[in-house]
Amino acid sequence: MNSVFMKDITWKEFEERKSRAVILPVGSTEQHSFHLPFCTDSAIAEGISEKLAEKIGGTVMPTLCYGYKSKPMSGGGPLFPGTIDLNGRTLISLAEDILEELCLDGVKLIFVNNAHYENEAFLIEAIDIVSRRHPEVTILESNWWDVLPQSVIDKVFDDVPFPGWALEHAAVTETSLMMYLAPQLVKMDMIPTETGFEPVPYHKYPIVKGMVPESGALASAKGSSAEKGKLITDTAVDEFVKIIERFI
């Protein structure tokens, strides 16, 4: 059986597959507290994309592993060494060039699977620019959190209250997803149960050390589990399939 990953196949195999969906996973290289690696968003995007491609016979592009910078109230990545961020115009240009190349190659359906909260506006801008030039190509964009029904959210947050998606950084959902998709990368003994973080209804710049907890986690990861990660993954994949099937 051929790999679903574009990096593993030849140009001839890609040529034969291009009538089916091509999936572009997009993540980041950002701190995710003491217990999760820099690649968390990218690993989640790629892991979910792989399972989606297996269901629909699609092809997974090489993962875009750099993303837009997080605000302090949704990650605070720039405050921590090792986080590598792109400026908004850079992310737009990068995504635009990738999507343009796919369109020129004759791909007719592209699914952009974003797993970094801050990326979306810039990805949508790139999609809009390319779509104006290539109206014959369907380009879809979504993420794993927006497609979760309330019933799944309730099951995932059975130990701690749901803090809102902006604060779910290195918390229950991302920790659970990594425990399921890449358990070897999770430092189980470092999972935070309390952060003491109190969000404020404004943004202040320049950002300075101390605006987010020293650990880098914004909310508790108490109750995280591989089972919850599988539930989130399976639900997201099923919902993505429904979205894609509307346009096949």
Side-chain angles (χ1 to χ4, degrees), residues 14-34:
F14 183 77
E15 176 78 15
E16 293 167 353
R17 294 187 191 185
K18 70 181 185 182
S19 61
R20 292 175 273 173
V22 172
I23 304 160
L24 174 62
V26 187
S28 71
T29 298
E30 181 184 29
Q31 74 84 20
H32 277 76
S33 189
F34 295 142

Side-chain angles (χ1 to χ4, degrees), residues 64 66-70 85-96 118-126 129:
L64 186 51
Y66 297 97
Y68 183 67
K69 59 187 76 72
S70 287
D85 293 313
L86 302 180
N87 290 321
R89 62 181 176 272
T90 306
L91 180 56
I92 291 169
S93 295
L94 184 56
E96 178 187 349
E118 309 286 357
N119 284 342
E120 188 161 54
F122 304 100
L123 294 174
I124 291 297
E125 178 69 5
I129 291 169

Side-chain angles (χ1 to χ4, degrees), residues 6-21:
M6 181 179 177
K7 65 183 178 63
D8 296 334
I9 64 176
T10 67
W11 73 265
K12 184 64 175 175
E13 290 168 315
F14 183 77
E15 176 78 15
E16 293 167 353
R17 294 187 191 185
K18 70 181 185 182
S19 61
R20 292 175 273 173

Side-chain angles (χ1 to χ4, degrees), residues 207-234:
I207 58 175
V208 296
K209 188 175 181 178
M211 294 179 73
V212 301
E214 184 179 343
S215 70
L218 302 185
S220 172
K222 181 181 179 182
S224 301
S225 69
E227 290 74 23
K228 289 179 180 179
K230 184 178 188 303
L231 173 63
I232 295 169
T233 298
D234 290 348

Side-chain angles (χ1 to χ4, degrees), residues 194-216:
E194 300 295 337
T195 66
F197 182 65
E198 293 291 337
V200 295
Y202 59 84
H203 302 292
K204 180 264 177 188
Y205 286 77
I207 58 175
V208 296
K209 188 175 181 178
M211 294 179 73
V212 301
E214 184 179 343
S215 70

Side-chain angles (χ1 to χ4, degrees), residues 127-213:
I127 290 168
D128 181 59
I129 291 169
V130 173
S131 186
R132 289 168 187 259
R133 292 196 294 260
H134 298 279
E136 76 284 0
V137 180
T138 298
I139 308 176
L140 305 168
E141 187 274 344
S142 192
N143 56 69
W144 59 262
W145 55 90
D146 278 341
V147 298
L148 298 185
Q150 190 61 48
S151 59
V152 170
I153 294 173
D154 290 342
K155 289 178 182 177
V156 171
F157 291 92
D158 56 352
D159 284 302
V160 295
F162 175 53
W165 290 121
L167 297 186
E168 259 300 294
H169 178 79
V172 174
T173 51
E174 289 188 325
T175 302
S176 295
L177 282 163
M178 288 297 284
M179 291 171 74
Y180 173 57
L181 295 169
Q184 74 280 7
L185 299 179
V186 181
K187 299 184 186 302
M188 301 294 294
D189 58 334
M190 301 294 285
I191 294 176
T193 56
E194 300 295 337
T195 66
F197 182 65
E198 293 291 337
V200 295
Y202 59 84
H203 302 292
K204 180 264 177 188
Y205 286 77
I207 58 175
V208 296
K209 188 175 181 178
M211 294 179 73
V212 301

